[in-house]
Amino acid sequence: MNIIAKHRQLVTPGDLVAEGKFRAGQNVIKLNGDRFYATVLGSFEIKDRDTLSVRALRGPYIPRRGDKVIGKVVDISMGSWTVDIRAPYEATLPAGRFPARINPVFDDIRKFMGADDFVYAEIAEFDRARPPILDATLNREYGLIRQGVVIEVEPTRVPRIIGKKGSMIQLLNRELGSQITVGQNGRVWVRAPSPEAVSNTVSTIRLIEAEAHTQGLTSRVEERLKTLKNASQKVATENKE
Amino acid sequence: MVEAADSGSKPLLSPDGIRTDGRKIDEMRKVKMEVGLLKNCSGSAYIEQGKTKIIVAVHGPREAHPKHLAQPGRAILRTRYHMAPFSTSDRKSPAPSRREIEITKVIREALEPAVMLDEFPKTSIDVFIEVLQADAGTRSAGITAAALALAEAGIPMRDMVAAVAVGKLEGRVVMDLNEEEDEHGQADMPVAMMPNVNRITLLQLNGRLTRAEFEEGLSMARRGVDQLYEMQKQALREKYTSSEPAQEED
């Protein structure tokens, strides 16, 4: 029982992380007997005392059932939309799973959503044997995105943008007056009361993305929000004068 | 000392074991590696090994096109080794030559055992290896850089792959040939390895080696691969540690 890598240490593929009786979790493999190696670039973690895993720094988005994603319509066929969800597989959103009364025989589904439109939906089915199926009827917030800005971030850094139980999103929403929706696939939908608020929100999300693997991120984000707030107040008072 | 077979008056190795570019027999050329320099791909890497300069871009895993190539249980790995028209002193025709098609194949086979292809069924992972400047050892440097780019793309691998060529000059086994040595030397043997798994994924030999020379060459290649392997890991770590303070400024 010998753990070689430290908790949260940056490891690269092929790095020996531990030797002995452990279990290989995500992105860790067992080779050469009881030796455990990292398979991706990321930070090393020990969970449940004996499960070794590596949280990838970069990598593709792999859909999972129940994930809330922001997709982009790439193609339209008779009864469904083909949606890019930034995964290796293109998703399908059937007309019947779109939150509107559509009769696929009479209606042209283009009326509801066209190419390059963004849609917020949930992965209803996916098992790697068939392409993912989306559903936009399971929650009232799902559907066509009509306003705001959609930006793309590294899918592996989504958890840091959301924060523990949504703490980071709540912090941004509270301090910047914006409304942020984060898709698990690395697209972020930003709505904010003013263009400045949008750009402040986007730049703060970029900061979180760039420093997702560092510690003490929340305090740095708080600090940044404070300076942004002061700057905007200064502008406001100057305008009054 | 054996007379140089055909290189005429100028020996490739001096009697005290110094080569034409001043290196010792077991000394690699100067190597520089960098990752993440391209944006329109999943991962990228750049390598300089002496005067050899190569850039690699990785795309995917993405849907395999044409569709019939897709494998139901795993991803397919596609490679393209290509030399830029300006990479040699005489213009190289940009069309893939017989030699490039062969190198494409051996590089793919050198990387395939490392990449965990079964994680992404029905997709393709595409590796583009573009030689910007050729000065021997391009297939080995290409493999080293391709493994780096795959790692930067976040594609899971059993181990990194690193490669180096060893050769024979004036009857002595030497590390990492340059163009002149490759052209006039007695043998050239590129070797790619996965060091942790202790597996050779590419082994070619152009020329003749005795069994003893082969053994010596292989262990020399192992030492070279170990050096490159460390540099690969260093290049990956550097990208995500040293660049942080700079990003904090904006």
Side-chain angles (χ1 to χ4, degrees):
Chain A
M1 295 288 273
N2 185 15
I3 296 171
I4 290 146
K6 286 196 272 302
H7 190 65
R8 291 262 169 86
Q9 186 191 316
L10 187 69
V11 292
T12 60
D15 273 352
L16 181 66
V17 292
E19 275 176 280
K21 280 199 179 337
F22 294 99
R23 285 197 294 181
Q26 271 218 314
N27 300 323
V28 170
I29 48 161
K30 192 172 157 185
L31 287 172
N32 306 334
D34 268 347
R35 291 161 160 241
F36 290 86
Y37 296 92
T39 63
V40 296
L41 175 68
S43 81
F44 172 68
E45 282 172 8
I46 308 161
K47 282 180 202 153
D48 310 326
R49 286 173 169 269
D50 68 339
T51 306
L52 311 168
S53 66
V54 175
R55 196 179 284 239
L57 224 50
R58 300 199 65 210
Y61 165 67
I62 300 299
R64 284 211 308 225
R65 186 183 294 165
D67 274 0
K68 298 173 167 187
V69 296
I70 295 170
K72 187 180 184 184
V73 177
V74 289
D75 201 6
I76 301 135
S77 51
M78 272 298 288
S80 66
W81 291 273
T82 304
V83 181
D84 163 44
I85 53 168
R86 301 185 76 206
Y89 316 96
E90 276 182 343
T92 308
L93 176 59
R97 297 193 186 221
F98 187 77
R101 282 195 176 277
I102 303 177
N103 183 335
V105 181
F106 296 112
D107 298 331
D108 180 1
I109 61 169
R110 261 168 250 265
K111 281 194 298 195
F112 301 94
M113 208 159 60
D116 289 348
D117 278 344
F118 286 105
V119 59
Y120 185 38
E122 183 174 315
I123 303 209
E125 283 169 44
F126 176 62
D127 59 4
R128 288 195 186 211
R130 307 217 153 266
I133 308 281
L134 297 178
D135 196 317
T137 59
L138 298 172
N139 191 320
R140 283 187 57 192
E141 59 189 332
Y142 294 154
L144 175 66
I145 293 177
R146 294 172 191 280
Q147 41 145 325
V149 177
V150 174
I151 60 165
E152 294 195 342
V153 296
E154 200 63 48
T156 50
R157 313 208 176 160
V158 163
R160 288 312 288 272
I161 295 169
I162 295 173
K164 277 198 184 113
K165 290 183 181 146
S167 61
M168 194 69 91
I169 299 184
Q170 281 162 20
L171 178 71
L172 295 183
N173 286 350
R174 192 171 61 235
E175 296 297 320
L176 295 161
S178 52
Q179 205 182 337
I180 301 166
T181 305
V182 184
Q184 286 294 330
N185 60 336
R187 281 203 182 103
V188 184
W189 176 21
V190 178
R191 283 145 292 168
S194 67
E196 293 82 60
V198 171
S199 81
N200 283 344
T201 310
V202 170
S203 64
T204 310
I205 291 169
R206 290 273 173 242
L207 172 92
I208 300 169
E209 187 195 8
E211 299 184 18
H213 58 293
T214 59
Q215 286 179 5
L217 180 62
T218 311
S219 58
R220 249 172 300 147
V221 170
E222 276 169 348
E223 206 164 289
R224 186 193 162 79
L225 291 173
K226 215 180 277 169
T227 53
L228 284 174
K229 219 176 183 180
N230 289 341
S232 68
Q233 269 167 2
K234 209 183 251 175
V235 172
T237 48
E238 273 166 16
N239 285 349
K240 264 180 206 162
E241 284 160 9
Chain B
M1 184 106 299
V2 183
E3 264 292 307
D6 51 280
S7 63
S9 55
K10 201 171 119 204
L12 290 168
L13 195 66
S14 75
D16 49 347
I18 299 298
R19 300 200 249 164
T20 51
D21 57 3
R23 281 185 293 156
K24 296 199 264 306
I25 54 169
D26 62 345
E27 191 180 339
M28 218 186 316
R29 289 176 288 177
K30 212 173 173 173
V31 178
K32 192 184 135 192
M33 295 180 194
E34 202 187 324
V35 296
L37 18 65
L38 302 176
K39 287 281 161 276
N40 290 346
C41 56
S42 318
S44 57
Y46 172 73
I47 189 168
E48 269 181 41
Q49 190 156 357
K51 282 185 263 176
T52 292
K53 298 183 179 186
I54 299 171
I55 195 161
V56 179
V58 170
H59 282 267
R62 58 184 179 183
E63 238 161 279
H65 284 291
K67 279 255 162 69
H68 67 87
L69 290 177
Q71 295 281 322
R74 64 178 188 96
I76 54 168
L77 183 71
R78 289 190 289 200
T79 52
R80 180 180 116 118
Y81 166 96
H82 183 249
M83 287 170 78
F86 51 80
S87 62
T88 47
S89 49
D90 289 332
R91 177 177 182 274
K92 194 228 146 250
S93 160
S97 62
R98 195 219 92 251
R99 176 180 167 275
E100 284 168 294
I101 293 164
E102 179 212 312
I103 293 178
T104 293
K105 175 185 176 285
V106 296
I107 290 181
R108 185 183 66 240
E109 287 170 354
L111 296 171
E112 251 171 356
V115 184
M116 297 169 80
L117 294 170
D118 44 352
E119 300 240 338
F120 308 105
K122 298 210 276 193
T123 64
S124 80
I125 297 168
D126 300 318
V127 181
F128 297 93
I129 299 158
E130 195 69 23
V131 179
L132 304 179
Q133 188 165 281
D135 190 67
T138 54
R139 78 192 67 193
S140 48
I143 290 168
T144 307
L148 255 184
L150 285 164
E152 209 255 334
I155 293 164
M157 288 194 283
R158 274 171 266 273
D159 197 3
M160 296 279 277
V161 190
V164 72
V166 291
K168 184 169 140 188
L169 306 175
E170 322 281 348
R172 307 242 341 238
V173 177
V174 300
M175 169 103 80
D176 190 24
L177 301 181
N178 65 29
E179 183 71 49
E180 188 187 6
E181 292 168 338
D182 186 18
E183 205 170 323
H184 303 291
Q186 294 161 293
D188 174 25
M189 180 168 81
V191 183
M193 291 186 192
M194 292 158 65
N196 278 346
V197 196
N198 206 15
R199 199 168 147 177
I200 296 170
T201 63
L202 172 116
L203 179 66
Q204 294 182 301
L205 173 59
N206 187 1
R208 274 165 193 262
L209 292 179
T210 64
R211 179 173 285 242
E213 284 166 347
F214 173 77
E215 301 282 350
E216 191 190 342
L218 204 57
S219 66
M220 188 181 272
R222 172 72 201 221
R223 287 198 296 278
V225 163
D226 286 342
Q227 285 175 39
L228 289 164
Y229 189 68
E230 272 316 304
M231 283 187 248
Q232 285 175 316
K233 293 187 165 190
Q234 190 55 38
L236 285 170
R237 275 193 290 263
E238 240 163 50
K239 171 79 181 170
Y240 290 97
T241 44
S242 69
S243 67
E244 281 326 305
Q247 281 179 349
E248 237 166 299
E249 298 301 317
D250 66 6

